Amino acid sequence: MTIAAHELRQNKISFFIWTAAIGFLLAVCIFLFPEMKGEMEGMNDMFSSMGSFSAAFGMDQLNFGTLMGFYSVECGNILGLGGAFFASLCAVNILSKEERNKTAEFLLTHPVNRRRILTEKLTAILIQIIAMNLILYVLSAASIAAIGEEIPWKELNLLHLAYCILQMELAGICFGVSAFLRKGSIGAGLGLAAVMYFLNLIANIAEAAEFLKYITPFGYCDSAGIITDGSLDKTMVAIGIVIGIAGIAAAYLKYTKKDIAS
């Protein structure tokens, strides 16, 4: 796993910065909850009656006076967008950077085939995503305990699981995109994550666009649905996993036949 270890070392600063930034914001939101709890109970009716804006963020179905109602919106957006951006950035440049930095031919002269290169790079991505999610999960649970609230394990587990799957799906898609790029593109990764986020907002606002929830991974991270139903939407999750695997398969098909020298 030499290549995977090299990728992890090379990306460690980015990993620590993103994890620390997201973790800090999550902790701040959780520690603000006791101060805002009373105010949120009074503002709950106002939030739930803001029409399309409320529907876009699921605020018409959540009670902001409860820990999970507050956590799912405030912390959910931080974890969702922050995690999506990190996963996309990790994956979208991991193959194309070898050509951009003129290291591809050097790498391929070693006694490793392209499938092994792909597998080890993919492994490095998944390790970073899983490690970040475990750290954020523990930090969230510890922060909730620190403010004296009972930890809602089931809802917390489901929310963090959903966002972890989301990040893996986006990483799979961006991994596939990376195989087709030659110079890399940070914008492609950030743009894809942002588009998926806004597609979910549109699906929440307009009934005619509800089918978009089956396209964007943010569809199965709908906190209102997760808390209300007490489970993830298995159909949406299955579709998301298939899309992520399709992106990975595209990377293998393209990269194993790609003319690196051209």
Side-chain angles (χ1 to χ4, degrees):
M1 300 294 284
T2 305
I3 298 173
H6 173 74
E7 290 293 339
L8 292 173
R9 285 194 301 270
Q10 197 172 51
N11 208 40
K12 64 181 180 181
I13 295 177
S14 175
F15 171 80
F16 286 125
I17 290 174
W18 277 92
T19 302
I22 298 171
F24 173 75
L25 292 174
L26 287 177
V28 167
C29 282
I30 294 170
F31 279 99
L32 284 175
F33 176 71
E35 300 295 326
M36 303 181 69
K37 184 176 181 180
E39 297 178 17
M40 284 298 178
E41 287 176 347
M43 297 174 66
N44 198 57
D45 291 338
M46 182 187 74
F47 279 130
S48 62
S49 61
M50 294 173 67
S52 297
F53 182 82
S54 298
F57 295 95
M59 294 189 296
D60 55 337
Q61 304 175 53
L62 295 169
N63 182 357
F64 282 83
T66 64
L67 173 65
M68 285 313 297
F70 180 82
Y71 183 90
S72 61
V73 173
E74 300 297 334
C75 297
N77 281 320
I78 294 170
L79 184 59
L81 277 174
F85 286 151
F86 173 73
S88 298
L89 288 174
C90 270
V92 79
N93 281 328
I94 199 162
L95 298 177
S96 56
K97 70 179 181 180
E98 302 293 351
E99 293 178 76
R100 182 187 67 227
N101 297 334
K102 309 298 183 183
T103 57
E105 292 181 13
F106 171 76
L107 178 63
L108 293 174
T109 58
H110 287 71
V112 291
N113 59 40
R114 295 192 183 191
R115 288 187 178 276
R116 180 180 168 186
I117 292 172
L118 287 163
T119 301
E120 293 207 27
K121 284 179 175 285
L122 179 61
T123 299
I125 294 170
L126 296 179
I127 288 174
Q128 291 177 82
I129 291 174
I130 293 171
M132 184 182 76
N133 278 276
L134 286 174
I135 293 170
L136 296 177
Y137 173 78
V138 171
L139 179 62
S140 293
S143 298
I144 292 171
I147 63 173
E149 293 283 339
E150 183 178 350
I151 302 174
W153 289 111
K154 182 179 180 180
E155 291 85 355
L156 190 69
N157 290 342
L158 288 172
L159 282 172
H160 279 262
L161 175 62
Y163 284 117
C164 185
I165 297 172
L166 173 148
Q167 293 161 28
M168 289 186 176
E169 179 185 342
L170 286 175
I173 297 170
C174 289
F175 190 67
V177 170
S178 185
F180 289 84
L181 299 176
R182 289 197 176 277
K183 295 184 178 180
S185 175
I186 293 176
L190 293 177
L192 177 65
V195 167
M196 291 298 187
Y197 178 76
F198 284 108
L199 285 180
N200 186 58
L201 296 185
I202 294 170
N204 287 338
I205 294 171
E207 289 186 12
E210 196 169 346
F211 70 94
L212 292 174
K213 283 185 171 290
Y214 293 91
I215 298 174
T216 169
F218 286 92
Y220 53 76
C221 294
D222 180 18
S223 54
I226 292 173
I227 293 174
T228 302
D229 300 336
S231 64
L232 302 182
D233 188 307
K234 295 180 178 61
T235 302
M236 290 186 188
V237 171
I239 292 173
I241 291 173
V242 169
I243 293 173
I245 292 174
I248 294 170
Y252 274 83
L253 290 172
K254 175 64 177 178
Y255 198 78
T256 52
K257 299 177 181 179
K258 189 176 183 180
D259 184 358
I260 302 295
S262 65

